């Protein structure tokens, strides 16, 4: 059983962006505003869907919902993450 309290990596530079996004809720037939979080990490970062990412600067914890490793000719682009904010340490 893995110990989820031990980080797989630390000190990894990440560009994290949170913004509002308007989505349609078919159940209520209304538009809603939800908070969307995304991140970009260096292409060599070993991260998987289901991992957790902690923003040490702001004390925010995210769940990685999707990992995209774009492919292009030449330079290897950053890993793109879809995140869900799951907590913070009040900092």
């Amino acid at each position: 059983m893995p110990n989820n309290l031990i980080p797989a990596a630390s000190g990894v530079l990440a560009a994290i962006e949170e913004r509002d996004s308007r989505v349609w809720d078919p159940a209520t037939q209304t538009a809603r505003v939800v908070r969307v979080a995304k991140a970009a990490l260096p292409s060599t970062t070993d991260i998987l869907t289901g991992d957790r990412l902690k923003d040490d600067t702001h004390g925010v914890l995210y769940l990685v919902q999707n990992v995209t490793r774009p492919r292009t000719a030449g330079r290897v682009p950053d890993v793109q993450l879809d995140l869900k904010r799951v907590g913070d340490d009040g900092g």
Side-chain angles (χ1 to χ4, degrees):
M1 176 178 210
N3 183 348
N4 290 334
L5 299 176
I6 299 172
S10 63
V12 177
L13 294 178
I16 301 173
E17 175 188 23
E18 283 192 53
R19 61 181 173 79
D20 292 336
S21 179
R22 186 173 291 273
V23 296
W24 181 256
D25 181 1
T28 61
Q29 295 293 303
T30 59
R32 298 188 181 269
V33 176
V34 296
R35 197 84 175 138
V36 176
K38 296 190 176 281
L41 301 175
S43 61
T44 56
T45 306
D46 183 21
I47 193 160
L48 302 170
T49 299
D51 286 350
R52 285 182 261 167
L53 177 72
K54 183 177 180 189
D55 177 353
D56 289 328
T57 302
H58 300 101
V60 178
L61 184 64
Y62 298 94
L63 174 67
V64 177
Q65 293 186 304
N66 189 46
V67 177
T68 304
R69 297 183 185 277
R71 300 181 196 273
T72 62
R75 168 184 93 75
V76 179
D78 292 339
V79 175
Q80 304 295 314
L81 307 177
D82 294 326
L83 304 172
K84 178 180 180 181
R85 187 176 182 149
V86 293
D88 60 54
D89 62 9

